[in-house]
Each structure stands twice: as C-alpha cells, then as structure tokens.
C-alpha cells in the first residue's frame, strides 16, 4: 500500500504497506469497524486525510466512492452478504460487471477465482445450498475477483466454527502470500495471531501496534 | 442504460423473484383491466342512452289535440279540440319557411289479413314527410308519395315484423292485404331503429283513412320538424308562435295550458345532452378513481420491493455499483414489468369488452368501447406513476451508506 496514511477517529496515524496482513483488534465500541468502514469508503471521515495507492480519498461523491470501491477494494463480511438469488459463480462475477468487464471474461474469471477457493464444482449452486465456510470462501473469491488493492474483512470468521475459521484463514494467508494486502477486523486472538501485524484499538485510539510471528492456519486444520 | 448486461440482470431478477414480479405486474394489469372495463361500460351506457332518446328526429314538434281547461269566448272548459286538415295547411302557410317536414297523423288500430293470417296492427294515416320525421328506412318498395295522398290510394307501407307475421317467408311487396274489409296494396316494407314496436306499425295515406271514414277531415296530431339552422332559441320562438296561432284559431284561452299539447324535442334534446354529460362525468370520475387506486397499489409495491432489496442494493454498492446504476436498475425493471403488465391488462380488457359487448344490449349497455388512445394514455400514466413511485424509494436506497444497507436484515 506504499505510503498510505490516515488520521481517523481520535488521532490515528496508521500506515499499511503493500502485501501486509493486518489484524485490527479491540473490544466493541473501540472504533475498529468505523476504521474499516472509512478505509472501505463505506463511511467518510470528518477530518484528516486518507491516501490509497497514492490517490487522496476526499470529497467523494457517491458515484466516485462507488468507482473507487470497485477498483481498489474488496470486502468480506461476517454475514457473507452474498446475493441469495444468484449462484456462486454469478456472485463472484458481480463486481466485474460493475467494472465493465465483458460477460465472457466475467464468467471465465469467476470460475478461475472459485477454483482458487476450491469451489469450482459448486459454481452453479445458490448460497442457500452452501455451508457457512463455503459461503465465506465464495465471498472471498468475489472480493478477490475484482483484483483489489486491499481486501477488507470485517469479522470474516465471526459466524464460523473454529475448524472452518481456520480453513478460511488459511485461504486468506495464501492470498496474502501471493502479495495481496489484507486488513482483518477481529476480536479473536487466535485469528489475530495468524496475521503479520496486530493493531489494537481502544476508545478510538491505537494503544498497541505490533508485529507478530505468523501462525500458519494450516497447522491447526 | 440499455446495455445487454443490464437487461440480463433485470431478466434474472425477474426470473428469480417471481412473486414480487407477479404482484407488481398483477396490480398494473388489474388496474388497467378494470379501467378499460369500467370506462367501456360507461361509454356503453352513454351510447345506449343516446340511442334511446335520439331515435326520432332531433328537431321535431309533436302537436296533439286535447281538452281545454279554461272557459273562453262563450265556450265551456273541458272542450275537446279537434284538429282538421286546414290546421295543417294553415301551419304550413304561416310557418312554411321555418319548417322542414310536416305531416298529420291519424292513429287507428286495424285488423290486417293476408290469406289465413290476420292480426291487429297500429296503422298511422300520414303524409310522405312522415318518413323523414320517423327516420324510417325502406327495406323494399317505396314510401307513400303525394299521388297516394291526392288519389286517396289504397296503398299500405308495412313494418318489417308485420311482413314477417303475415307473410312468413314470402315477400309482401305488391301483394294485397285486407284492411278493415278493404283491399290494400303493399307498396313497401320498412325497418326502424326505434325497435320492434316501431316495426309492427303500418302507414297509409291520411286522406285514405279520412275517405274510409265517410270523408271527414279530422287528424289526431301534427308532426313537424323545424329547419335545423333555427337552433334552440329559434325553435323556442317558433314553438311560442305556433302555440299562439293554434290558440287563436281554436278559441282557446291564451293562458290555458290545455286544449292541445306541443312537445318540442329541442327542449328534451337539451336535457338529454345534459344527462349524457353527467354520465360522461361519472365515467371519467370512475376512470380516474380506478387509475388512482392502481397508482397507489403500484406505489406500495414499489416501496415494498425497494425495502426488500435494501440489503442487496447495499451489497451491490459495496461491490462498486454507482447510485445511478442502482436507481437505473430498479426503474428499468419496474418500467419493464409495468409496460408488459399494462399491455396485458389493456388487451384483455378490450378483448373482454368486445366479447361481452354485444350481449349487454338488453342491460342498456350498447357498443361498450374504449378509445385505444384513452387506454394507452391510462397505461402510460400508470407506468409513469409506477416509475415515479419506484424512483423515490430507489433514490433513497441508493443514498443510504452501503454499511447501513448491509446491516439491514
């Protein structure tokens, strides 16, 4: 992410480099979700600056924010947020639609990313026919299909059991190994330990920002 | 806006959300269907009404004799006034340049016989102008002419149903029937839009009836039409002058409203038109009401649809959908559904009207129709209102921060 810096909440000065895997921790109300929303341009900061890949993010119209989100960001949510009447493949292809990618390429790319999360044979299934872990993997494939600069994950394992959580974290680690920058909001210490860096928020301030030795999720599966 | 991708998204949404699609489509179809039906039936009622009252000439005076109600010039009240041929001639001489057609009428009921068949029919003694007054249509042969009057000819023109009764499948033309013991030649058969009763009448020369009744010169009524260019007020003035003239001639008290009766159709046409206007107003009101109900229905459904899709829209926005594309998608889908549904409603409404239309005539609904342009306008209004009704919640949904929309469960 280069020299991206931002001032949010109560004076947060925070940089994420390209290829980092950062966990943002904190109890509820600590501001971790707000931080993620601002990073994701789902919400706007009142003050301060935010630079993403050298582009200053300010005075965003809704349309511009939508374009930036489409180009720069991929989201993974706790509740998956797949569109329930679209198949796994169609869900994965959706951000590509908004990028103006041709239909043929969309399908091809969707298949490619589903293959990477190990769900190619589930391409034609609706979300209701998938397990929680599978849904989250489809969501991750969807987030990655647009080839974002940053993947933002808000409690990606919050709705999953431990085993499935580790499977999902294994996937995230692999994506990180390929050079993707990933930010994870979590309140689970074991998930945080699987990142390179842990930022702990309290009352809107960073109280700790430490590098950790990454625990490979695969070891636990 | 009309890219193939957008249409594919819309078709998928429609396919995968059948209930929602059917609900909104049904509202529009039903709205247009009921609108077309009510509007058509209203028009039918109006048509029937106008036909009912406008069978006879619209510029006619009917003058019937009656009894006086006031004593005058030595005559007692309750005196029977009798019209004679010279009343007819005097009216013609005095008001001829304002009169279009003029005929006397003598009402009789005669037994008419042809071979084994006989029946009683109402027979009118008239002059040739009577054809125009009654808007009689000749099916075959001819109507009475001035020679028939002059020669007191024993010629008779019979109604379509009289021919059917007496002659069965034969043609009556040039055959002889027995009328009150005399032999009359059938010179024509007529039909009349006034209905069956009119077609069970016969007409013969008034002079012939007078000759049959020992050469008297009595007539029962005088019928005339004034020249249409007189207009309503000209007709009122003519009416007043004819009243005065008859009162003077027959020594009726100037303020007596008896003695004879003059019915001016211009007067009743005016009332008829007023009533038809009220009917039109009701039809329009019902139409607008139905349309309004449809608009409210589709508005509710659109609000519900957008509400239901809030989360989906939030997901789309998080994935990079712009507000314009969100609004565009909802609007395009709603316009697409309402257009198809509106068309279905329009066509089925018109189809039903044309199917049952003819069977409703006995219920005083004649030729129920709706202008295609009225139907199309109503459909467009509904589509437009559906679009507006969709646009407002869609714009709000597009404005919601994606993170808020995503939280919506």
């Amino acid at each position: 992410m280069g020299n991206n810096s931002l001032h949010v909440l109560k004076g947060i000065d925070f940089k994420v480099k390209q290829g980092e895997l950062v966990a943002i921790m904190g109890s509820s109300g600590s501001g971790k979700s707000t931080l993620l929303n601002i990073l994701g341009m789902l919400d706007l900061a009142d003050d301060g600056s935010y630079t993403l890949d050298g582009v200053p993010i300010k005075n965003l119209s809704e349309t511009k924010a939508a374009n930036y989100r489409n180009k720069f960001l991929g989201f993974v949510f706790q509740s998956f947020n797949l569109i329930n009447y679209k198949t796994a493949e169609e869900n994965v292809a959706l951000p590509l639609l908004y990028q103006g990618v041709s239909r043929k390429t969309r399908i091809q790319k969707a298949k490619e990313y589903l293959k990477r999360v190990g769900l190619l044979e589930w391409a034609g299934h609706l979300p209701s026919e998938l397990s929680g872990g599978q849904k989250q993997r489809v969501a991750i494939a969807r987030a990655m299909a647009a080839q974002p600069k940053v993947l933002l994950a808000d409690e990606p394992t919050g709705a999953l059991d431990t085993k499935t959580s580790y499977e999902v974290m294994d996937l995230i680690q692999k994506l990180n190994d390929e050079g993707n920058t990933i930010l994870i909001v979590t309140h689970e210490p074991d998930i945080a330990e699987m990142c390179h860096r842990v930022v702990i928020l309290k009352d809107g301030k960073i109280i700790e920002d430490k590098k950790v030795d990454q625990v490979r999720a695969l070891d636990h599966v | 806006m009309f890219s193939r991708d957008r249409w594919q998204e819309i078709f998928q949404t429609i396919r995968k959300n059948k209930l929602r699609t059917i609900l909104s489509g049904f509202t529009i179809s039903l709205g247009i269907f009921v609108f077309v039906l009510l509007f058509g039936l209203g028009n039918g009622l109006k048509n029937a009404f106008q036909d009912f009252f406008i069978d006879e000439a619209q510029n006619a005076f009917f003058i019937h004799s009656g009894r006086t109600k006031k004593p005058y010039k030595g005559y007692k009240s309750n005196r029977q006034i009798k019209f004679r041929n010279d009343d007819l001639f005097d009216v013609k001489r005095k008001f001829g340049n304002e009169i279009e057609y003029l005929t006397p009428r003598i009402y009789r009921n005669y037994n008419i016989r042809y071979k084994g068949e006989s029946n009683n029919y109402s027979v009118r003694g008239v002059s040739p102008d009577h054809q125009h007054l009654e808007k009689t249509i000749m099916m075959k042969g001819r109507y009475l002419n001035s020679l028939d009057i002059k020669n007191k000819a024993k010629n008779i023109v019979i109604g379509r149903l009289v021919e059917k009764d007496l002659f069965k499948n034969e043609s009556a033309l040039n055959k002889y029937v027995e009328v009150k013991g005399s032999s009359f030649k059938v010179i024509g058969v007529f039909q009349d839009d006034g209905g069956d009763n009119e077609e069970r009448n016969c007409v013969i020369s008034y002079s012939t009836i007078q000759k049959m009744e020992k050469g008297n010169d009595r007539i029962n009524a005088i019928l005339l039409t004034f020249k249409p260019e007189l207009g309503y007020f000209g007709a009122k003035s003519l009416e007043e002058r004819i009243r005065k003239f008859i009162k003077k001639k027959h020594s009726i008290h100037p303020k007596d409203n008896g003695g004879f009766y003059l019915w001016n159709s211009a007067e009743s046409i005016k009332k008829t038109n007023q009533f038809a206007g009220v009917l039109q107003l009701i039809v329009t009101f019902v139409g607008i009401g139905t349309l309004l109900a449809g608009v409210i229905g589709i508005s509710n459904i659109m609000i519900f649809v957008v509400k239901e899709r809030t989360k989906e829209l939030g997901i789309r926005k998080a994935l990079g959908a712009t507000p314009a594309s969100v609004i565009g998608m909802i609007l395009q889908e709603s316009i697409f559904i309402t257009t198809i549904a509106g068309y279905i409603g329009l066509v089925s409404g018109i189809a039903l009207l044309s199917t049952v239309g003819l069977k409703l005539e006995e219920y005083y609904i004649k030729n129920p129709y709706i202008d295609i342009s009225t139907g199309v306008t109503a459909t467009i209004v509904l589509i437009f209102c559906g679009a507006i009704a969709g646009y407002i919640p869609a714009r709000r949904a597009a404005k919601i921060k994606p993170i808020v929309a995503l939280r919506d469960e």
Side-chain angles (χ1 to χ4, degrees):
Chain A
M1 233 156 83
N3 54 353
N4 295 337
S5 64
L6 63 153
H7 300 268
V8 287
L9 306 160
K10 295 177 188 166
I12 283 178
D13 195 352
F14 175 66
K15 284 184 187 182
V16 178
K17 292 195 189 69
Q18 188 159 9
E20 273 196 291
L21 175 56
V22 182
I24 300 168
M25 288 194 71
S27 52
S28 26
S30 61
K32 58 184 192 303
S33 285
T34 311
L35 178 58
L36 199 75
N37 291 344
I38 288 168
L39 291 176
M41 294 174 223
L42 299 174
D43 212 339
L44 287 178
D46 301 318
D47 201 3
S49 67
Y50 168 23
T51 310
L52 178 58
D53 196 29
V55 181
I57 307 299
K58 59 176 182 183
N59 300 331
L60 284 185
S61 69
E62 270 290 337
T63 308
K64 215 160 185 188
N67 288 334
Y68 282 169
R69 276 198 293 272
N70 188 237
K71 231 160 80 186
F72 293 142
L73 302 164
F75 294 93
V76 175
F77 303 95
Q78 180 176 358
S79 53
F80 323 126
N81 283 337
L82 299 174
I83 293 178
N84 57 16
Y85 62 83
K86 284 181 178 287
T87 62
E89 180 187 294
E90 287 161 350
N91 265 290
V92 175
L94 197 56
L96 299 169
L97 171 76
Y98 291 117
Q99 280 184 343
V101 175
S102 79
R103 184 173 167 80
K104 214 173 145 188
T105 318
R106 287 205 304 269
I107 294 171
Q108 184 206 326
K109 275 202 165 182
K111 286 216 158 81
E112 180 191 324
Y113 279 89
L114 277 175
K115 194 176 172 189
R116 281 172 72 170
V117 301
L119 288 174
L120 186 57
E121 61 271 37
W122 294 87
H125 288 254
L126 290 174
S128 56
E129 297 160 342
L130 302 174
S131 72
Q134 285 173 324
K135 279 185 209 169
Q136 197 59 296
R137 276 146 71 194
V138 171
I140 290 170
R142 181 176 68 181
M144 296 311 298
Q147 290 172 304
K149 303 277 179 207
V150 189
L151 179 68
L152 299 170
D154 191 0
E155 305 270 8
T157 59
L160 305 175
D161 62 44
T162 310
K163 184 172 174 286
T164 320
S165 290
Y166 291 168
E167 280 168 10
V168 166
M169 278 313 291
D170 177 46
L171 180 61
I172 286 174
Q173 283 178 341
K174 278 180 182 152
L175 290 170
N176 178 240
D177 293 343
E178 290 165 14
N180 293 298
T181 314
I182 301 173
L183 268 75
I184 299 174
V185 162
T186 182
H187 62 266
E188 292 166 75
D190 55 335
I191 298 299
E193 278 173 11
M194 293 174 184
C195 302
H196 293 311
R197 179 180 164 192
V198 179
V199 175
I200 301 173
L201 287 184
K202 196 178 180 189
D203 299 330
K205 285 179 186 154
I206 296 174
I207 56 164
E208 207 181 344
D209 184 348
K210 60 179 179 185
K211 302 261 182 210
V212 292
D213 291 328
Q214 192 182 40
V215 176
R216 294 304 292 192
L218 202 58
D219 301 341
H220 294 273
V221 177
Chain B
M1 174 164 182
F2 296 102
S3 72
R4 191 162 154 239
D5 285 336
R6 172 70 67 72
W7 281 117
Q8 270 164 350
E9 279 292 294
I10 287 169
F11 287 135
Q12 186 182 35
T13 318
I14 288 173
R15 243 190 348 266
K16 299 290 173 70
N17 299 281
K18 288 204 181 75
L19 178 69
R20 196 168 75 197
T21 308
I22 288 169
L23 262 181
S24 42
F26 184 68
T27 308
I28 294 289
S29 288
L30 191 70
I32 290 294
F33 180 77
V34 172
F35 174 82
V36 167
L37 222 57
L38 287 181
F39 210 86
L41 292 181
N43 273 336
L45 196 63
K46 214 175 72 192
N47 291 342
F49 178 81
Q50 277 179 346
D51 262 33
F52 202 67
F53 286 91
I54 302 180
D55 170 46
E56 264 124 33
Q58 297 186 34
N59 50 341
F61 285 3
F62 283 48
I63 311 167
H64 290 251
S65 61
R67 288 177 182 276
T68 59
K69 290 179 180 171
K70 286 186 172 148
Y72 189 58
K73 284 190 176 169
Y75 291 111
K76 286 179 184 164
S77 67
N78 205 28
R79 170 171 58 103
Q80 175 69 47
I81 299 296
K82 286 167 183 163
F83 287 155
R84 294 173 191 280
N85 288 350
D86 63 335
D87 290 318
L88 194 70
F89 304 144
D90 285 348
V91 166
K92 185 159 193 171
R93 202 174 54 241
K94 232 174 131 60
F95 305 104
N97 51 359
E98 289 169 271
I99 289 172
E100 191 183 27
Y101 299 114
L102 177 71
T103 177
R105 237 191 212 177
I106 303 173
Y107 297 99
R108 292 292 179 268
N109 244 305
Y110 289 145
N111 184 279
I112 300 180
R113 173 186 298 274
Y114 176 73
K115 291 186 179 160
E117 298 290 337
S118 78
N119 209 339
N120 278 317
Y121 295 101
S122 127
V123 177
R124 288 165 174 177
V126 301
S127 72
D129 275 4
H130 190 261
Q131 180 182 4
H132 305 291
L133 273 150
E134 276 288 340
K135 292 187 178 167
T136 304
I137 303 151
M138 293 309 296
M139 289 170 73
K140 45 190 165 187
R142 63 169 177 88
Y143 206 73
L144 299 172
N145 61 23
S146 49
L147 270 179
D148 294 324
I149 309 296
K150 196 177 160 209
N151 299 338
K152 303 179 171 88
K154 288 189 173 177
N155 287 339
I156 186 166
V157 181
I158 63 174
R160 183 178 64 90
L161 293 176
V162 178
E163 184 191 33
K164 209 175 156 195
D165 288 350
L166 296 181
F167 291 85
K168 309 296 176 202
N169 294 324
E170 279 180 62
S171 169
L173 205 58
N174 296 325
K175 303 231 165 70
Y176 287 84
V177 290
E178 200 185 299
V179 180
K180 218 190 159 198
S182 312
S183 185
F184 275 70
K185 184 181 178 187
V186 177
I187 56 166
V189 180
F190 67 83
Q191 61 183 31
D192 195 300
D193 283 344
D196 291 0
N197 282 339
E198 290 288 338
E199 293 181 342
R200 282 222 156 76
N201 284 335
C202 299
V203 293
I204 56 183
S205 160
Y206 73 97
S207 57
T208 311
I209 292 187
Q210 288 172 345
K211 185 185 166 198
M212 282 160 72
E213 293 174 355
K214 293 164 188 156
N216 70 29
D217 61 350
R218 296 239 182 94
I219 55 179
N220 294 119
I222 297 169
L223 277 69
L224 65 88
T225 57
F226 55 85
K227 291 188 170 153
E229 57 265 30
L230 290 187
Y232 175 72
F233 292 104
K236 279 305 272 186
S237 143
L238 179 62
E239 178 190 331
E240 280 317 307
R241 281 178 285 128
I242 290 178
R243 277 182 194 281
K244 262 190 193 152
F245 170 76
I246 295 174
K247 279 180 181 174
K248 198 173 172 200
K249 186 168 177 203
H250 287 271
S251 306
I252 302 169
H253 191 286
K255 286 184 176 165
D256 194 345
N257 60 6
F260 69 96
Y261 303 96
L262 193 158
W263 180 80
N264 179 352
S265 71
E267 189 91 331
S268 73
I269 292 295
K270 199 180 161 204
K271 281 177 189 152
T272 308
N273 284 341
Q274 275 171 352
F275 193 73
V278 171
L279 272 180
Q280 177 69 64
L281 212 65
I282 292 171
V283 167
T284 311
F285 182 75
V286 165
I288 290 174
T290 317
L291 222 48
L292 208 62
V295 167
I296 292 169
I298 189 66
S299 304
N300 277 332
I301 286 172
M302 282 315 293
I303 289 169
F304 163 76
V305 163
V306 172
K307 177 84 189 141
E308 195 198 43
R309 292 183 76 172
T310 302
K311 187 165 185 182
E312 181 204 323
L313 299 179
I315 297 170
R316 285 177 184 272
K317 286 189 77 181
L319 297 180
T322 59
S325 90
V326 167
I327 295 172
M329 182 179 69
I330 291 179
L331 277 194
Q332 205 173 323
E333 185 189 319
S334 114
I335 291 172
F336 178 72
I337 294 173
T338 49
T339 304
I340 301 279
Y343 182 75
I344 292 172
L346 186 66
V347 169
S348 51
I350 289 173
L352 184 68
L353 274 187
S354 52
T355 316
V356 302
L358 291 174
K359 293 167 193 155
L360 290 174
E361 212 166 322
E362 57 184 303
Y363 300 107
Y364 301 107
I365 290 169
K366 188 178 175 182
N367 186 20
Y369 71 95
I370 177 165
D371 286 335
I372 292 293
S373 67
T374 310
V376 168
T377 306
T379 313
I380 288 172
V381 165
L382 218 52
I383 291 169
F384 183 73
C385 290
I388 298 265
Y391 174 74
I392 294 167
R395 196 188 53 178
R396 209 173 47 211
K399 269 188 180 167
I400 298 175
K401 286 176 185 165
I403 201 69
V404 177
L406 287 173
R407 250 181 253 132
D408 182 78
E409 287 296 340

